[in-house]
């Protein structure tokens, strides 16, 4: 490690200043905005204290969106973890073409979300598409299902699509954790007569646990913030059944033109997320220390 | 290590499942974009196109500003990637190879950027950009993309810098190289894979960015692919052929980029993660 | 060719002091070796001389110029690192020329200088190669060449041979020794290997816990250690430390000691100076080679049971003693083989033995 503070500051300053200007300052503005009563951008307003908070916290729409966000985050965590674990364990093996597979598995994550949306909107379409005709040919259903027509199916479909986009990313991070488990541990266990299942339970799982913990936190933050897929596929519908907090914030600000209220919801969501992140990282470092 | 035959079957099944899950949707979309319209909406879907036409691509290019969107996306993504590197590499070097007061605090603050919904800053940022005249400019998009790519980029570079033995830097000090020369002549050449992965990450992030672009860009001529494309979705009666052609087209640049440097990117991603 | 003076040098890392008031003079052209166990501060001392670490107190002078606060590159010092620290992305030639380029030498001159040095190190054929295409010994030579081209006042070596296999290590040791002869340069060398220290050094500096224990020529440290630590560190196999009791004095000032472990009474040992208190508990330092062949009348004979033996051919070592204690190691010369469990009889050459007080200081 080298000294020379002025140079070090010069190195980090541009990045820090940009982050402060584009993330830090708007975050503070959001707090100020939440204490005012500004409706549309450019219009005036005055400080009204915590009235917005009182209003938002007594609004059933807010609580419903919060609940949907929690379901969204949890379901995504479960689906993505399962898919990612299968993927990571498969890619950890040696087989012809494994290097290509490790590179291209991330394909779903590198295409624009808009393309993801088109792909799945068409595949799930009730007029044409691929899934409905396929299911009908297989005799699973008689008439095409409108996957986006009821709140439950829309939510499930969205969770599937979002997980499809993100699981390879999580899988690669898990793979990084897996490759750090020394292979002589497996060899020693093999000599001790442990079969593959026992090796997984006794070696892979406990040693992967810290990585999984970190990934769950990152995954939760990433899932919570997903907006574009939901907005482009259902716009929060039908009947608000997929309206998560980010969707509600966007609607409040740019559809109902109530900037201050949107800022209030944003601040509440941020406080909630930061609290979660802090608690989770503390829990992880505590269990790691044990 | 040798695997039992049961494990081999399990592995083969998982890989087949993953192949279907990841590749089949792309195959369906890309192959269908060459199908005649009747075949696309046919009730009995075909795995391999029975018809072949380029009409959807012709229509896409003639009836929308798609080439403009593509050009805008390329410009914004390339410049964003370059600026991200110019900011992230020195910052990461300072964070991981230099001592200065407040280092830990600053680094943690940067990572905090993940912990709040980006949509939170959208509203105040819009007001700020209005005042600065950055609304409806590609410059504004670059600023946004760089900001969102920075924290993860710095984090990703961590393991690359940490992987270099400190003796190499000390040898350069003994050779009389200044910190700037060390960074330029010794460190940067040695972390080329890391620089490649961060560059690709920033490029992809910019290439896929939708929310901020949709709010900050007003005129059609300034739109990027994601936003221009979503405009096409609503603009016409759903013309699946054209949308599928557009989707295939939007995937293409990332696929090309990825076949050139994808190995490095994935290496960098898995290296940088969790360490 | 330059000399080095270090005066009351201190170094601490956030409150943890690793060097305590180091005073050291290195004469021009001298080959000085820092030895000591890991964590003794030898590398830190070397790095502080190089300027890679800042001194917390005291001063460093090279040729009467105070360089304590001078940049490493300005001190006229070159360093060879344990890991060689070659630039992996540069060719051998670029590696060797980098320092010259930094000092502003023209390209043609750099090429010539590097070529000359490469010639003497038998590296000419490898100049266009990258470090990863070289063997360990070749990398080591490039690292040394990189130091030589800069024509430094002082060469620093930080455990340069510890990454090489045993055979190559001996060869490189000879090469470094020959290099010193040829260049006549001042060299400072850090190692934890006392064989390297003994064979290379004009002067050895033994360090422990950030303090200098003793400075001297290798044979002086071996034959006349200042304390039990130096006696224990220099010499292989390690010296035997045996508890003893002073029971009287001989006519010419020697101490008469009882050594229960060897079953000896009134063994006469010469202290270094002054008187030893009668009745004091002391430690007798007896090297394995301080046991001589029996029947020569050079000292009292002892008979020990060899629990374990090492037959090295020209010489054998018998390890005698109950498991609970450090075994007594006895060197046996000209005796074909020893067998475990056999008896070994030897004369104790007490005239060459050392006495240490309870704190390990030489008496």
């Amino acid at each position: 490690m080298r000294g020379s503070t002025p140079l070090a500051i010069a190195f980090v300053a541009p990045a820090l200043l940009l982050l402060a200007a584009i993330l830090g300052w708007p975050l503070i503005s959001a707090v100020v905005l939440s204490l005012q009563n500004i409706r549309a951008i450019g219009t005036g307003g005055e400080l009204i204290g915590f009235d917005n908070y009182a209003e938002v916290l007594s609004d059933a729409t807010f609580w419903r969106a919060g609940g949907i966000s929690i379901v969204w985050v949890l379901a995504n965590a479960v689906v993505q973890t399962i898919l990612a674990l299968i993927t990571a364990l498969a890619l950890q093996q040696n087989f012809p073409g494994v290097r290509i597979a490790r590179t291209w598995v991330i394909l779903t994550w590198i295409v624009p979300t808009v393309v993801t949306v088109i792909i799945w909107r068409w595949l799930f379409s009730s007029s044409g598409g691929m899934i409905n005709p396929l299911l009908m040919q297989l005799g699973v259903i008689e008439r095409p299902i409108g996957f986006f027509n009821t709140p439950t199916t829309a939510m499930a479909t969205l969770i599937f699509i979002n997980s499809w986009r993100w699981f390879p990313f999580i899988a690669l991070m898990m793979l990084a954790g897996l490759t750090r488990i020394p292979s002589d541990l497996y060899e020693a266990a093999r000599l001790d007569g442990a079969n593959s299942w026992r090796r997984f339970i006794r070696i892979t799982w406990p040693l992967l646990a810290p990585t999984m913990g970190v990934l769950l936190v990152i995954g939760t933050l990433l899932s919570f913030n997903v907006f574009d897929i939901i907005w482009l596929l259902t716009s929060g519908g039908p009947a608000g059944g997929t309206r998560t907090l980010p969707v509600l914030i966007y609607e409040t600000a740019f559809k109902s033109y109530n900037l201050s209220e949107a800022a209030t919801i944003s601040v509440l969501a941020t406080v909630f997320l930061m609290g979660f992140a802090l608690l989770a990282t503390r829990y992880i470092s505590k269990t790691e220390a044990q | 290590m040798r695997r039992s035959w049961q494990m081999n079957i399990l592995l083969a099944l998982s890989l087949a499942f993953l192949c279907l899950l990841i590749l089949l949707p792309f195959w369906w979309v890309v192959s269908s974009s060459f199908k005649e319209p009747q075949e696309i909406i046919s009730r009995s879907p075909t795995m391999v196109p029975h018809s072949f036409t380029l009409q959807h691509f012709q229509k896409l290019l003639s009836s929308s500003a798609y080439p403009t969107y593509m050009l805008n996306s390329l410009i914004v993504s390339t410049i964003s990637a370059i600026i991200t590197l110019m900011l992230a590499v020195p910052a990461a070097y300072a964070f991981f190879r230099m001592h200065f007061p407040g280092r830990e605090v600053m680094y943690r603050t940067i990572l905090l950027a993940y912990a709040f919904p980006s949509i939170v800053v959208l509203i105040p940022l819009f007001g700020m950009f209005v005042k600065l005249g950055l609304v409806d400019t590609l410059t504004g998009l670059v600023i946004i993309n760089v900001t969102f790519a920075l924290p993860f980029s710095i984090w990703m570079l961590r393991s690359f810098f940490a992987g270099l033995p400190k003796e190499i830097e000390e040898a350069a000090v003994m050779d009389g190289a200044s910190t700037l020369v060390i960074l330029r002549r010794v460190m940067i050449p040695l972390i080329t894979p890391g620089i490649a992965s961060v560059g690709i990450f920033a490029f992809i992030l910019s290439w896929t960015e939708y929310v901020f672009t949709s709010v900050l860009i007003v005129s059609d001529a300034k739109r990027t692919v994601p936003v221009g494309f979503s405009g096409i979705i609503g603009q016409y009666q759903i013309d699946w052929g054209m949308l599928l052609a557009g989707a295939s087209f939007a995937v293409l640049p990332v696929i090309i980029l990825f076949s050139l440097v994808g190995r490095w990117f994935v290496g960098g991603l898995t290296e940088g993660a969790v360490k | 060719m330059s000399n080095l003076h270090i005066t009351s040098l201190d170094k601490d890392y956030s409150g943890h002091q690793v060097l305590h008031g180091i005073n050291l003079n290195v004469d021009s052209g001298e080959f000085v070796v820092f030895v000591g166990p890991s964590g003794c501060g030898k590398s830190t001392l070397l790095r502080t001389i190089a300027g890679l670490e800042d001194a917390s107190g005291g001063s460093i002078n090279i040729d009467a110029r105070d360089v304590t606060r001078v940049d490493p590159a300005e001190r006229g010092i070159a360093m060879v690192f344990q890991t060689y620290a070659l630039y992996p992305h540069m060719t051998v030639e670029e590696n060797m020329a980098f320092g010259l380029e930094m000092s502003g030498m023209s390209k043609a001159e750099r090429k010539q200088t590097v070529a000359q040095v490469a010639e003497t190190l038998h590296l000419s054929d490898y100049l266009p190669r990258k470090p990863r295409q070289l063997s360990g010994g070749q990398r080591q030579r490039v690292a040394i060449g990189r130091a030589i081209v800069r024509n430094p006042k002082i060469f620093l070596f930080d455990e340069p041979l510890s990454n090489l296999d045993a055979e190559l290590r001996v060869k490189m040791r000879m090469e470094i020794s020959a290099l010193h002869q040829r260049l006549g340069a001042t060299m400072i060398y850090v190692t934890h290997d006392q064989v390297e220290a003994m064979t290379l050094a004009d002067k050895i500096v033994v360090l422990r816990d950030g303090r200098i224990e003793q400075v001297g020529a290798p044979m002086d440290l071996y034959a006349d250690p200042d304390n039990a630590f130096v006696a224990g560190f220099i010499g292989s196999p390690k010296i035997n430390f045996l508890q003893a009791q002073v029971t009287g004095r001989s006519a010419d000032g020697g101490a008469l000691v009882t050594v229960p472990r060897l079953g000896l009474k009134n063994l006469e040992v010469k202290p270094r100076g002054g008187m030893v208190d009668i009745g004091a508990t002391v430690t007798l330092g007896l090297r394995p080679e301080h046991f001589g062949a029996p029947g020569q009348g050079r000292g009292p004979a002892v008979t020990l049971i060899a629990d374990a033996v090492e037959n090295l051919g020209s010489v054998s070592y018998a390890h005698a003693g109950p498991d609970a204690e450090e075994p007594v190691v006895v060197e046996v010369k000209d005796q074909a083989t020893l067998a475990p469990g056999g008896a070994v009889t030897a004369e104790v050459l007490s005239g060459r033995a050392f006495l240490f007080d309870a704190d390990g200081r030489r008496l």
Side-chain angles (χ1 to χ4, degrees):
Chain A
M1 285 278 186
R2 315 214 36 238
S4 178
T5 303
L7 196 61
I9 299 292
F11 279 172
V12 294
L16 279 178
L17 288 176
L18 186 68
L19 286 168
I22 305 300
L23 295 182
W25 176 245
L27 196 63
I28 294 168
S29 316
V31 176
V32 175
L33 204 55
S34 74
L35 301 173
Q36 293 173 309
N37 59 351
I38 295 176
R39 295 198 64 84
I41 288 174
T43 60
E46 56 204 24
L47 276 176
I48 54 164
F50 290 94
D51 290 7
N52 287 322
Y53 288 88
E55 199 170 312
V56 166
L57 288 172
S58 61
D59 184 355
T61 319
F62 169 75
W63 290 106
R64 181 159 179 241
I68 289 173
S69 267
I70 291 173
V71 171
W72 168 259
V73 165
L74 288 179
N76 267 294
V78 171
V79 176
Q80 285 176 37
T81 305
I82 293 172
L83 285 177
L85 190 61
I86 294 172
T87 312
L89 287 174
L91 292 182
Q92 187 199 12
Q93 309 299 317
N94 243 326
F95 56 88
V98 64
R99 290 180 65 121
I100 295 173
R102 281 182 191 168
T103 303
W104 285 99
V105 70
I106 194 90
L107 184 64
T108 65
W109 182 74
I110 62 171
V111 299
T113 37
V114 177
V115 172
T116 310
V117 164
I118 295 294
I119 291 175
W120 289 104
R121 206 168 139 180
W122 178 60
L123 294 179
F124 279 122
S125 158
S126 48
S127 57
M130 282 283 171
I131 313 278
N132 269 317
L134 209 68
L135 291 177
M136 279 154 69
Q137 275 181 352
L138 293 171
V140 182
I141 50 172
E142 278 177 19
R143 284 184 298 114
I145 302 175
F147 283 96
F148 297 109
N149 289 355
T150 71
T152 319
T153 52
M155 188 70 172
T157 311
L158 279 179
I159 289 163
F160 167 76
I161 296 171
N162 188 58
S163 299
W164 181 80
R165 174 166 154 79
W166 279 98
F167 85 88
F169 186 84
I170 307 285
L172 284 181
M173 300 245 195
M174 273 187 203
L175 185 63
L178 283 176
T179 49
R180 259 192 294 282
I181 300 176
S183 61
D184 44 0
L185 281 184
Y186 289 106
E187 280 154 22
R190 233 175 136 88
L191 291 175
D192 287 342
N195 60 25
S196 7
W197 173 247
R198 291 198 72 81
R199 286 202 297 272
F200 175 76
I201 287 296
R202 301 298 293 276
I203 299 174
T204 310
W205 188 255
L207 289 177
L208 193 60
T211 309
M212 300 276 278
V214 174
L215 287 179
L216 270 177
V217 178
I218 297 176
T220 301
L221 299 178
L222 289 173
S223 304
F224 184 92
N225 289 331
V226 167
F227 167 76
D228 43 6
I229 286 190
I230 303 177
W231 183 251
L232 288 169
L233 277 169
T234 65
S235 304
T242 57
R243 192 195 282 130
T244 58
L245 281 174
V247 176
L248 180 65
I249 294 169
Y250 189 89
E251 275 188 350
T252 312
F254 297 101
K255 298 285 165 206
S256 347
Y257 293 108
N258 197 336
L259 280 187
S260 283
E261 200 180 309
T264 309
I265 304 171
S266 304
V267 171
L268 287 171
T270 306
V271 169
F272 175 74
L273 267 194
M274 293 233 179
F276 164 78
L278 284 177
L279 281 180
T281 43
R282 189 166 300 168
Y283 176 76
I284 287 171
S285 47
K286 213 190 214 167
T287 45
E288 256 179 18
Q290 276 169 3
Chain B
M1 243 194 322
R2 263 180 49 245
R3 280 188 299 267
S4 60
W5 63 270
Q6 294 99 324
M7 285 300 283
N8 269 327
I9 288 181
L10 201 62
L11 177 64
L13 284 176
S14 326
L15 290 174
F17 167 71
L18 288 173
C19 256
L20 283 181
L21 185 63
I22 294 171
L23 292 180
L24 196 58
F26 285 102
W27 169 248
W28 272 338
V29 166
V30 174
S31 66
S32 297
S33 65
F34 294 102
K35 291 177 187 170
E36 297 277 3
Q38 311 89 284
E39 196 185 341
I40 292 178
I41 54 162
S42 147
R43 278 288 160 111
S44 46
T46 45
M47 283 300 288
V48 182
H50 290 194
S51 52
F52 180 83
T53 173
L54 289 174
Q55 69 178 71
H56 307 300
F57 289 92
Q58 281 162 355
K59 197 167 160 197
L60 179 78
L61 295 180
S62 61
S63 69
S64 77
Y66 209 82
T68 314
Y69 304 155
M70 196 64 109
L71 189 68
N72 288 338
S73 266
L74 279 174
I75 292 171
V76 169
S77 303
T78 309
I79 296 178
S80 299
I82 291 170
I83 296 181
T84 302
L85 281 175
M86 281 171 19
L87 296 184
V89 170
Y93 178 74
F95 276 129
F96 308 127
R97 308 286 298 193
M98 292 174 91
H99 267 308
F100 59 94
R103 187 168 63 107
E104 263 310 294
V105 177
M106 284 187 210
Y107 178 56
R108 281 177 191 280
T109 313
I110 284 188
L111 288 186
L112 257 191
Y114 293 129
F116 63 84
S118 54
I119 203 139
V120 169
V121 299
L122 181 57
I123 301 150
L125 203 63
F126 187 81
M128 198 167 116
F129 272 31
V130 169
K131 279 187 203 136
L132 295 173
L134 287 171
V135 170
D136 207 24
T137 62
L138 297 185
T139 317
L141 296 186
V142 169
I143 292 174
I144 295 286
N145 289 329
V146 171
T147 309
F148 282 107
L150 259 183
F152 194 80
S153 301
I154 293 174
W155 189 56
M156 244 168 116
L157 286 172
R158 176 200 185 103
S159 64
F160 288 95
F161 276 121
L164 299 178
K166 74 174 191 328
E167 281 87 359
I168 288 197
E169 217 174 336
E170 289 175 347
V173 171
M174 297 299 292
D175 271 342
S178 67
T179 307
L180 272 176
V181 172
I182 293 175
L183 183 58
R184 196 166 51 84
R185 296 280 303 274
V186 180
M187 301 313 259
I188 289 181
L190 289 178
I191 57 158
T192 320
I195 289 184
S197 21
V198 168
I200 300 162
F201 171 76
F203 187 93
I204 289 175
L205 203 76
S206 314
W207 185 263
T208 58
E209 207 291 315
Y210 169 78
V211 181
F212 281 77
T213 312
S214 72
V215 173
L216 293 175
I217 295 298
V218 183
S219 56
D220 195 43
K222 300 272 173 58
R223 284 182 177 163
T224 58
V225 172
V227 174
F229 196 33
S230 70
I232 302 178
I233 302 178
Q235 200 174 333
Y236 304 91
Q237 202 135 39
I238 293 189
D239 179 348
W240 283 120
M242 194 165 112
L243 286 178
L244 296 180
S248 311
F249 224 54
V251 171
L252 200 65
V254 234
I255 301 255
I256 293 172
L257 179 77
F258 218 65
S259 43
L260 295 175
V261 285
R263 204 156 41 86
W264 280 350
F265 174 65
V266 170
L269 198 64
T270 48
E271 273 299 299
V274 200
K275 247 182 195 173
Chain C
M1 295 254 281
S2 296
N3 55 43
L4 170 76
H5 297 285
I6 296 172
T7 317
S8 24
L9 186 74
D10 288 326
K11 171 73 192 169
D12 61 37
Y13 290 113
S14 47
H16 174 64
Q17 193 157 1
V18 288
L19 293 177
H20 304 262
I22 302 283
N23 290 298
L24 181 69
N25 289 328
V26 176
D27 294 334
S28 188
E30 211 169 17
F31 198 118
V32 176
V33 175
F34 296 170
V35 285
S38 55
C40 69
K42 56 188 189 297
S43 278
T44 308
L45 179 56
L46 191 82
R47 292 165 55 80
T48 312
I49 295 171
L52 293 172
E53 309 280 353
D54 287 329
S56 314
S59 67
I60 301 167
N61 288 273
I62 296 175
D63 288 339
R65 175 184 170 222
D66 186 345
V67 296
T68 319
R69 302 282 162 227
V70 171
D71 260 7
E74 307 295 317
R75 296 187 183 196
I77 280 177
M79 183 155 165
V80 176
F81 292 84
Q82 178 175 3
T83 54
Y84 320 135
L86 300 175
Y87 310 121
H89 57 299
M90 298 186 195
T91 64
V92 169
E93 183 168 15
E94 287 163 346
N95 262 285
M96 289 169 71
F98 188 69
L100 301 178
E101 186 188 339
M102 291 299 118
S103 68
M105 191 185 267
S106 77
K107 200 171 175 184
E109 245 180 304
R110 294 202 299 260
K111 211 171 167 62
Q112 197 190 349
T113 315
V114 169
Q116 272 168 9
V117 172
E119 182 73 44
T120 64
L121 290 171
H122 311 292
L123 284 171
S124 302
D125 295 342
Y126 304 107
L127 285 179
R129 296 213 191 160
K130 294 274 176 71
R132 65 168 176 278
Q133 298 166 295
L134 303 179
S135 69
Q138 289 164 344
R139 285 179 208 179
Q140 180 66 77
R141 281 212 289 276
V142 175
I144 293 172
R146 181 169 66 178
I148 296 175
V149 288
R150 298 188 38 218
N151 195 19
K153 294 174 179 164
I154 299 176
F155 285 84
L156 305 181
F157 295 88
D158 189 4
E159 307 217 16
L161 305 184
S162 55
N163 284 356
L164 299 175
D165 63 48
E167 198 182 333
L168 202 53
R169 203 179 305 164
V170 176
K171 189 165 166 275
M172 287 307 296
R173 205 165 72 203
M174 295 307 168
E175 282 190 28
I176 291 174
S177 189
L179 187 74
H180 179 237
Q181 301 281 329
R182 197 175 74 231
L183 300 174
T186 311
M187 294 185 174
I188 302 176
Y189 188 106
V190 163
T191 182
H192 61 268
D193 178 348
Q194 54 104 7
V195 177
E196 267 174 37
M198 293 294 284
T199 52
L200 284 170
D202 296 324
K203 184 154 93 185
I204 292 181
V205 178
V206 183
L207 286 137
R208 177 169 64 151
D209 296 339
R211 290 187 172 84
I212 292 182
E213 292 284 321
Q214 192 173 355
V215 178
M219 284 320 289
D220 291 346
L221 295 194
Y222 182 79
D224 191 16
D226 281 353
N227 52 50
F229 178 78
V230 173
F233 197 79
I234 305 284
S236 170
K238 202 173 173 249
I239 193 169
N240 299 301
F241 288 119
L242 303 165
Q243 254 213 3
Q245 199 89 33
V246 181
T247 52
R249 294 194 190 105
S250 67
D252 54 345
L256 298 177
V257 296
T258 301
V259 191
R261 186 74 193 282
L262 297 176
L264 289 175
K265 285 200 167 81
N266 296 329
L267 184 73
E268 188 180 343
V269 183
K270 281 255 158 53
R272 199 186 227 177
M275 289 295 190
V276 181
D277 293 338
I278 294 173
T281 303
V282 295
T283 303
L284 176 73
L286 201 58
R287 294 196 185 276
E289 61 271 30
H290 294 165
F291 290 93
Q296 314 259 324
R298 290 182 293 174
V302 290
T303 298
L304 297 163
I305 304 299
D307 296 315
V309 297
E310 292 175 288
N311 292 313
L312 302 181
S314 65
V315 68
S316 299
Y317 295 103
H319 295 251
D323 302 333
E325 285 178 75
E326 282 269 291
V328 176
V329 182
V330 178
E331 184 186 292
V332 184
K333 277 192 177 128
D334 308 324
Q335 191 166 334
T337 46
L338 288 170
V344 180
T345 305
E347 288 178 358
V348 176
L349 313 179
S350 61
R352 291 159 63 189
F354 318 119
L355 287 180
F356 303 102
D357 69 11
D359 297 327
R361 278 189 298 265
R362 179 81 181 277
L363 291 166

